[in-house]
Amino acid sequence: MLVALMMYMNGVVLMLLTDAQKYLVLREKKGLITHCMHGWSRNMNYVGEIMLYAAFGVLVQRWEVWAVYSYMWCIIFVIRMSVKDHSLSKK
């Protein structure tokens, strides 16, 4: 339970920090963000979301949950990440 709680809290914090950084940096200067969290990865929101949902999977401890999550992460997130990378490469 403690592991799930820590994963959940870290996922929420990571999502909030990524959104806050993006909002604050783009408010000052428009363009591609190349430092801090967005400099490490363009998809830190997805990492936070994966941690958040994985915490629920750890709590439930059922294989069906992990099957649904695997589909969601491998299909939906990969498609979203590739579309995002493609649109950023145009800029």
Side-chain angles (χ1 to χ4, degrees), residues 36-85:
C36 293
M37 287 186 283
H38 284 283
W40 303 327
S41 172
R42 296 277 169 227
N43 304 304
M44 291 303 260
N45 264 353
Y46 294 129
V47 174
E49 197 167 338
I50 287 171
M51 288 174 65
L52 190 140
Y53 288 124
F56 296 139
V58 168
L59 278 177
V60 174
Q61 296 181 357
R62 298 285 306 227
W63 71 269
E64 295 94 346
V65 173
W66 292 105
V68 171
Y69 286 167
S70 298
Y71 169 77
M72 185 174 67
W73 294 334
C74 293
I75 304 298
I76 296 173
F77 281 3
V78 168
I79 290 171
R80 285 184 181 173
M81 287 180 202
S82 62
V83 166
K84 184 177 180 180
D85 287 342

Side-chain angles (χ1 to χ4, degrees), residues 20-36:
Q21 179 201 359
K22 183 178 177 182
Y23 171 75
L24 292 172
V25 169
L26 290 178
R27 188 175 68 173
E28 296 297 319
K29 179 184 139 192
K30 301 290 182 204
L32 191 62
I33 304 170
T34 58
H35 60 284
C36 293

